[in-house]
Amino acid sequence: MPHHRTDNIIGINWGSSNLRAYLIAADGRLLDTHEEPAGVATLSHDGMVIAADSIRARWPKAAHAYAAGMIGSNVGWVDAGYVDCPAGAETVAEQLVPTRIGSLDLRIVPGMACVRAVDGAPDVMRGEETELLGLLSGGAIGPDAVVALPGTHTKWIQLRAGRVESFMTAMSGELFDRLAGGGLLASVLDGPGVGGPAFLEGVRVGAKGALGLSALLFGVRARVIRGTLQRADSSSYLRGVLVGAEIRDAMGLFPALGEDAADAGQRPALPVVGSGPVTVMYQAALGELGVASRAVASSDAVVRGFAAIHAMSAVAR
């Protein structure tokens, strides 16, 4: 069905591999979607123009357009930079970067950057901020929480008063894919890795931290060769080691997760954002380490995020 309202907006989640565009009503309702494998890593400058033109042609009457993700990176259309944490939706809305791609005028959402107080290290994210702002605006997560967003590059985010205070990025998903795809460990790995006893054993070993991650990774090979780990369980065990070490790091950076927090029975369940087997594995790992969690669906979070950013932007006033 065509949508001719001129107060509708377009939101584009434009990542490295895929483009997902949404037509959003003034009240935040999702009206239409468009998705294609047209990420910035796969497109030339002209290819981005073609993709943007197709979106404008699909929804010609939409009043405003926004884009988040890698389109605003140094490998995208224009570098939209980062807002410094602590930051919330109002800070992001104040630093939107206007540009034009082909026939589409749009504002690109900046990423977020932080320097963690605990270790003094910087971190950055791009794209997840819009999803997170949508979860906050929809009430799916509270204003004061630690939130986990599992994925290829998992984010652990500390929220205070509805603003992102700091966060940690862990490359556990990418590490698993790289190790399984080639190199020494690939010769002993079998399967994609799933939850279960071998995964949970790996979680315990990774979280214990008796050795550094490099030594623990080689230990996967040694266990298979010496027969203390079945090859059929090797991928699951490896995933567990990676996730366990990651959760240990998160507990060290965010005390609300760790042993120094208030009694575990009094702590609110950690929101784990996403769906599918990776989210289930993270919840199992957290449970193994004594951290209660709850799954939070993110299917409409990006749409809510674009609506929240638009409502706070200058063009909506």
Side-chain angles (χ1 to χ4, degrees), residues 188-190 193 197-199 224 229-238:
V188 300
L189 297 179
D190 184 22
F199 171 76
V224 174
L229 176 65
Q230 296 298 311
R231 184 185 174 109
D233 293 329
S234 58
S235 291
S236 299
Y237 176 80
L238 172 59

Side-chain angles (χ1 to χ4, degrees), residues 72-91:
S73 73
N74 60 353
V75 296
W77 182 262
V78 63
D79 191 337
Y82 299 92
V83 298
D84 292 325
C85 292
E90 72 286 349
T91 311

Side-chain angles (χ1 to χ4, degrees), residues 151-156 168-179 213 242-243 246 249 282:
T152 303
H153 301 148
T154 296
K155 301 289 183 183
W156 296 81
M168 177 193 85
T169 307
M171 298 178 68
S172 303
E174 180 175 342
L175 276 175
F176 178 85
D177 292 342
R178 299 271 181 178
L179 292 168
L213 186 57
L242 291 167
V243 172
E246 175 187 327
D249 288 343
Y282 268 78

